[in-house]
Amino acid sequence: MAAEGWTYADLANKVEVDPKSVERWVNLGRTPRRSTAVLAAETLGEDVHALWPSLRQARPARAISPELVALHDQRADFPTSAFADMLIQARERIDVLVYAAVFLHEAYPRLNDALKERAADGCTIRIAIGDADSPNVQQRGQEERFGHGIESRCRLALMHYRPLIGVPGIEVRKHGTTLYNSIYRADDQMLVNAHVWGVNAYGAPVWHLRRNGDGGMFDTYAESFNAVWATADSIEEV
């Protein structure tokens, strides 16, 4: 301020505070509110953190997201029936993004019938499974030391879901993306099976989310699903 000839009143007028506030910033080391500090720094042509280093401190983060219902250490700890139960209770939308997830059909043999019933009642169903010929799928098998097992399971998943191809309200596609998370969405609830390098999906954590407004964790994963879906290829009837 001294170098540029600023008075307390001059700066106070620019940032719309009392001149006594500016005087306290200078002489008593007081820190203004962040928005006022940023405006003052811009007015003086200085870095706000150089003037008030305490503003470098990050704002306290929310300890727990309001959308997080539960966090399970491993998918193996979460009852397989809970996946199917959540899906078949959906009324408007079901989205599934996996490489294979054949455990669903193995644990719930009438899953296809239940999905057909949901679709008949007006539920929109989108299922994206892994393309066995994708380099990303094959790389995943190597990372998990599972060899060609992942590719075989992708082909098995296609066999499971093929009877749903062409059913009104249901669409099945193949994707070749890197699968960072498996996603199971039923309306405003979602199970996210996070993936860990070198660990089979059943040994990785599961987030149970419930949507709570725009822009939260739920929407982040929902947008991720949509992005993968846009790259996926439709599967023709045979």
Side-chain angles (χ1 to χ4, degrees):
M1 289 176 64
E4 298 295 329
W6 287 89
T7 67
Y8 298 146
D10 291 337
L11 184 57
N13 183 56
K14 287 288 187 179
V15 299
E16 299 181 350
V17 299
D18 189 275
K20 290 187 179 299
S21 296
V22 179
E23 185 177 359
R24 286 191 285 269
W25 300 346
V26 175
N27 296 323
L28 300 179
R30 300 286 178 82
T31 301
R33 288 183 296 183
R34 182 177 293 271
S35 57
T36 303
V38 170
L39 179 57
E42 290 176 349
T43 301
L44 295 172
E46 298 290 340
D47 178 73
V48 67
H49 295 127
L51 298 179
W52 293 287
S54 62
L55 292 177
R56 289 185 184 277
Q57 298 176 0
R59 298 178 181 179
R62 185 188 297 272
I64 301 176
S65 168
E67 297 191 325
L68 181 61
V69 177
L71 172 60
H72 302 269
D73 291 345
Q74 302 179 91
R75 196 190 76 196
D77 297 333
F78 193 72
T80 301
S81 59
F83 283 85
D85 289 344
M86 186 190 76
L87 294 176
I88 63 179
Q89 290 173 15
R91 293 293 176 267
E92 297 180 357
R93 175 173 298 282
I94 292 173
D95 289 334
V96 175
L97 170 64
V98 295
Y99 270 167
V102 294
F103 72 92
L104 286 175
H105 283 92
E106 291 171 351
Y108 193 71
R110 70 173 307 272
L111 179 63
N112 282 0
D113 291 335
L115 293 176
K116 289 178 182 178
E117 292 168 4
R118 293 290 85 240
D121 287 340
C123 189
T124 299
I125 300 173
R126 299 183 296 176
I127 298 168
I129 59 176
D131 182 346
D133 297 321
S134 163
N136 288 319
V137 170
Q138 296 167 7
Q139 178 67 28
R140 175 71 174 277
Q142 296 173 24
E143 292 168 356
E144 293 184 3
R145 295 181 289 278
F146 202 42
H148 298 291
I150 294 291
E151 300 158 49
S152 298
R153 293 174 79 82
C154 287
R155 292 188 173 92
L156 180 57
L158 177 58
M159 291 176 59
H160 283 310
Y161 285 112
R162 187 169 287 283
L164 298 178
I165 297 172
V167 174
I170 300 177
E171 187 173 0
V172 182
R173 294 184 181 182
K174 291 192 298 184
H175 72 96
T177 65
T178 300
L179 191 66
Y180 297 105
N181 303 277
S182 293
I183 297 174
Y184 308 82
R185 176 184 179 177
D187 295 336
D188 286 343
Q189 291 200 74
M190 182 184 292
L191 296 173
V192 179
N193 187 185
H195 294 305
V196 180
W197 194 95
V199 177
N200 193 282
Y202 65 74
V206 171
W207 306 82
H208 182 182
L209 304 177
R210 181 178 291 113
R211 192 172 187 273
N212 183 35
D214 295 336
M217 290 176 65
F218 187 101
D219 283 355
T220 297
Y221 285 112
E223 290 167 7
S224 175
F225 177 94
N226 289 334
V228 173
W229 186 255
T231 72
D233 297 322
S234 297
I235 301 173
E236 301 298 329
E237 294 183 65
V238 293

